[in-house]
């Protein structure tokens, strides 16, 4: 059964810094991995989706990587802004057709960007 | 930008009562999902739905739960006889191409069972 762990649980950095959020998963037979952002009282917003055949995806100041062999994904945020403050969730999808339609989520990293 | 909408935003019910949570997925999406998040815990998969039938369900999705797409726009989650431990935030999600495309989540319905 896939387990997803995110480190650190919380992070506070000054505005303008580059930062890295980490995600690890136990089953390397991962089909794809998504990073989400969750604001208080809101739903989840998909940030980046990396298919198993890809190594990374970029969107604006965000870059996500996937290393299946080591069971790791990272989310890199460049030039952080106060508006980036949120909880960031990593979620992996297991092997489709093998009874694994659902995403397995980590507990998230609560990020605070200090103005 | 199109979005997934969920109603109500907050539902309070007594233990043993039936509740129906409603969702309107993005109009051109074909794959629909329910997830839940108990306070302070991880988001958990409940069920996926495609072509008017359940594709997959988790261990959480027992006989107390059911889903339905009653018309071309709504997608509902019914809990027949609510328990205290059903208290959670319930998220509906949809995607255009299932496993190959990002999931779009609604803002959730906070269910409180007293």
């Amino acid at each position: 059964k896939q387990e997803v762990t995110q480190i650190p649980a919380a992070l506070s950095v000054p505005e303008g810094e580059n930062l890295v959020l980490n995600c690890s998963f136990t089953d390397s037979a991962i089909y794809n991995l998504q990073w989400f952002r969750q604001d208080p009282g809101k739903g989840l917003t998909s940030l980046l989706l990396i298919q198993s055949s890809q190594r990374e995806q970029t969107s604006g100041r965000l870059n996500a990587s996937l290393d299946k062999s080591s069971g790791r994904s990272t989310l890199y945020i460049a030039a952080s802004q106060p508006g980036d403050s949120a909880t960031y969730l990593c979620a992996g999808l297991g092997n489709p057709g093998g009874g694994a339609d659902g995403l397995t989520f980590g507990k998230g990293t609560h990020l605070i960007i200090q103005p | 930008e199109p979005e997934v909408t969920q109603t109500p935003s907050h539902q309070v019910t007594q233990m043993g009562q039936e509740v129906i949570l409603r969702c309107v997925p993005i109009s051109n999406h074909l794959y629909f999902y329910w997830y839940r998040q108990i306070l302070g815990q991880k988001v958990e998969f409940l069920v996926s739905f495609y072509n008017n039938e359940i594709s997959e369900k988790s261990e959480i999705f027992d006989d107390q739960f059911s889903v339905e797409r009653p018309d071309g726009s709504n997608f509902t989650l019914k809990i027949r006889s609510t328990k205290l431990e059903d208290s959670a935030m319930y998220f509906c999600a949809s995607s255009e191409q299932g496993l190959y495309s990002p999931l779009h989540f609604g803002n959730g319905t906070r269910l409180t069972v007293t």
Side-chain angles (χ1 to χ4, degrees):
Chain A
K1 183 184 172 184
Q2 182 74 267
E3 295 285 340
V4 177
T5 304
Q6 291 188 247
I7 295 174
L11 182 64
S12 180
V13 301
E15 179 179 2
E17 282 200 6
N18 303 325
L19 57 101
V20 175
L21 308 182
N22 296 293
C23 170
S24 62
F25 45 92
T26 54
D27 187 355
S28 62
I30 196 164
Y31 189 76
N32 64 40
L33 189 135
Q34 291 189 53
W35 282 92
F36 294 88
R37 167 187 174 136
Q38 185 175 27
D39 293 281
K42 300 282 189 179
L44 284 65
T45 301
S46 180
L47 298 172
L48 290 163
L49 167 65
I50 312 175
Q51 302 291 353
S52 63
S53 58
Q54 299 172 321
R55 295 286 299 211
E56 64 179 320
Q57 283 284 336
T58 298
S59 175
R61 295 181 295 108
L62 306 180
N63 175 276
S65 68
L66 176 63
D67 184 342
K68 290 177 60 178
S69 61
S70 68
R72 290 184 182 178
S73 176
T74 61
L75 178 67
Y76 175 83
I77 303 176
S80 57
Q81 303 170 358
D84 295 331
S85 298
T87 297
Y88 289 80
L89 301 174
C90 157
L93 181 68
N95 198 19
D101 266 6
L103 291 172
T104 300
F105 280 82
K107 210 167 180 182
T109 294
H110 181 56
L111 177 64
I112 296 174
I113 307 298
Q114 307 153 11
Chain B
E1 184 176 331
E3 57 182 27
V4 176
T5 57
Q6 291 186 242
T7 55
S9 57
H10 192 187
Q11 172 107 36
V12 181
T13 189
Q14 288 190 330
M15 194 167 50
Q17 295 296 305
E18 174 183 287
V19 294
I20 297 177
L21 310 183
R22 303 181 190 278
C23 169
V24 179
I26 294 173
S27 61
N28 65 329
H29 287 187
L30 301 176
Y31 298 80
F32 314 117
Y33 309 83
W34 284 99
Y35 285 78
R36 79 172 186 188
Q37 185 176 31
I38 295 171
L39 189 64
Q41 298 189 23
K42 296 181 179 182
V43 176
E44 300 172 292
F45 168 71
L46 294 179
V47 65
S48 58
F49 190 89
Y50 170 72
N51 200 25
N52 281 320
E53 60 182 22
I54 290 175
S55 304
E56 186 187 347
K57 55 187 180 180
S58 72
E59 296 170 348
I60 303 168
F61 195 90
D62 62 21
D63 291 343
Q64 296 282 58
F65 292 89
S66 62
V67 290
E68 191 178 29
R69 188 152 163 84
D71 53 45
S73 59
N74 291 283
F75 179 51
T76 62
L77 174 69
K78 181 193 290 186
I79 309 175
R80 284 188 189 75
S81 179
T82 50
K83 301 175 238 184
L84 294 176
E85 54 264 37
D86 293 328
S87 295
M89 182 73 91
Y90 288 80
F91 292 108
C92 173
S94 68
S95 70
E96 189 174 1
Q97 297 178 18
L99 307 174
Y100 300 94
S101 57
L103 258 61
H104 295 258
F105 281 77
N107 283 341
T109 293
R110 179 166 298 286
L111 176 65
T112 302
V113 182
T114 61

